[in-house]
């Protein structure tokens, strides 16, 4: 175990384990937490990604590096679904942290020729998500504990919801086909395009 913000510790882990493939999923993943703790979020998601890629570069000869990102890297868009030709960006700490991590990943590919690919996912849901700042775990907690559910918006925001096992399978497929995916970013989505209120109503049903 290591904190991705600790570059020295990461170097030690790489020297010990000598991986042939790396899946970078470590992040501060909560939007609300990013508003409250922007510096922690920027350090984890930007420098954490840089530290991982630098450890990969120093080891050399890695077969595949998959950097797991988010559709939040596109910032806010009036057009959905997001497409890979849209520019990355953002107005808020979390969005900027994900966009920056993606740019760092692509810069390491372009500068050092490393076998890096980026996977961007919508809202991931599934077992073992205990982050009760997310709408789906929040709903289940309210149901199980018979308590009031508080929605932190007007409920109209539409997001794409992707099952966690599909996320894992997508990452593995990118690594398996790295010769075709290196240097690129890939969006992984689903047909679950729902507003917050629609998610709540479906779970209540």
């Amino acid at each position: 175990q290591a904190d991705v913000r600790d570059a020295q510790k990461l170097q030690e882990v790489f020297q010990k384990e000598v991986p042939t493939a790396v899946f970078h999923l470590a992040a501060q993943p909560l939007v609300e937490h990013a508003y409250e703790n922007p510096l922690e979020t920027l350090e984890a998601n930007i420098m954490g990604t840089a530290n991982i890629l630098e450890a990969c570069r120093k080891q050399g000869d890695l077969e595949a590096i998959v950097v797991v990102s988010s559709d939040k890297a596109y910032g806010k868009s009036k057009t959905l679904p997001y497409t890979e030709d849209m520019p990355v960006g953002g107005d808020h700490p979390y969005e900027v942290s994900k966009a920056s991590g993606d740019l760092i990943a692509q810069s390491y590919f372009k500068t050092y020729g490393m076998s890096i690919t980026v996977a961007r996912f919508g809202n991931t849901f599934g077992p073992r998500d205990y982050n009760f700042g997310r709408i789906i775990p929040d709903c289940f907690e309210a149901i199980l504990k018979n308590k009031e559910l508080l929605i932190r918006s007007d409920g109209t925001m539409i997001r794409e919801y992707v099952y966690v096992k599909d996320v894992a399978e997508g990452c593995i497929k990118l690594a398996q086909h790295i010769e075709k995916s290196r240097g690129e970013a890939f969006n992984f989505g689903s047909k679950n395009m729902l507003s917050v209120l629609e998610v709540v109503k479906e779970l209540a049903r």
Side-chain angles (χ1 to χ4, degrees):
Q1 291 188 357
D3 188 327
V4 291
R5 294 171 293 183
D6 187 340
Q8 181 59 42
K9 180 65 175 176
L10 285 179
Q11 296 289 345
E12 293 170 6
V13 171
F14 271 72
Q15 289 169 7
K16 178 184 176 184
E17 302 295 341
V18 194
T20 56
V22 170
F23 295 87
H24 173 38
L25 295 96
Q28 192 301 97
L30 302 175
V31 175
E32 290 298 321
H33 187 80
Y35 283 120
E36 297 166 5
N37 300 277
L39 185 58
E40 176 191 346
T41 300
L42 296 170
E43 287 176 342
N45 296 354
I46 298 175
M47 286 311 301
T49 298
N51 289 337
I52 285 283
L53 295 177
E54 185 62 7
C56 291
R57 184 183 73 84
K58 288 183 176 179
Q59 180 184 309
D61 298 325
L62 278 160
E63 294 175 14
I65 303 158
V66 179
V67 174
V68 176
S69 184
S70 164
D71 59 9
K72 290 284 189 182
Y74 293 111
K76 291 180 177 60
S77 173
K78 294 180 180 178
T79 305
L80 291 174
Y82 300 105
T83 58
E84 289 88 347
D85 58 358
M86 291 180 174
V88 296
D91 299 325
H92 304 290
Y94 185 78
E95 298 166 349
V96 169
S97 75
K98 300 310 289 184
S100 299
D102 287 14
L103 290 170
I104 291 168
Q106 291 179 328
S107 78
Y108 266 73
F109 162 73
K110 292 174 182 175
T111 306
Y112 305 109
M114 293 162 61
S115 293
I116 300 170
T117 185
V118 175
R120 296 180 182 136
F121 296 96
N123 273 20
T124 304
F125 72 97
R128 295 185 175 85
D129 185 357
Y130 301 118
N131 292 302
F132 292 107
R134 299 181 195 265
I135 187 63
I136 293 178
D138 268 359
C139 283
F140 278 109
E141 183 183 40
I143 291 166
L144 292 169
K145 296 183 178 179
N146 193 29
K147 71 175 194 177
E148 183 180 26
L149 174 69
L150 298 177
I151 298 175
R152 292 174 298 278
S153 69
D154 64 4
T156 61
M157 182 181 292
I158 295 173
R159 295 284 281 135
E160 192 168 4
Y161 294 85
V162 189
Y163 190 55
V164 65
K165 289 185 178 180
D166 295 328
V167 168
E169 185 178 347
C171 291
I172 291 168
K173 284 193 180 295
L174 282 181
Q176 289 172 332
H177 300 280
I178 193 68
E179 71 282 354
K180 295 179 181 178
S181 65
R182 62 197 300 268
E184 301 290 336
F186 293 84
N187 295 342
F188 284 80
S190 72
K191 295 180 180 179
N192 300 319
M193 298 283 289
L194 301 167
S195 70
V196 172
L197 287 176
E198 286 172 329
V199 170
V200 172
K201 288 177 181 177
E202 180 63 16
L203 289 175
R205 182 185 67 80

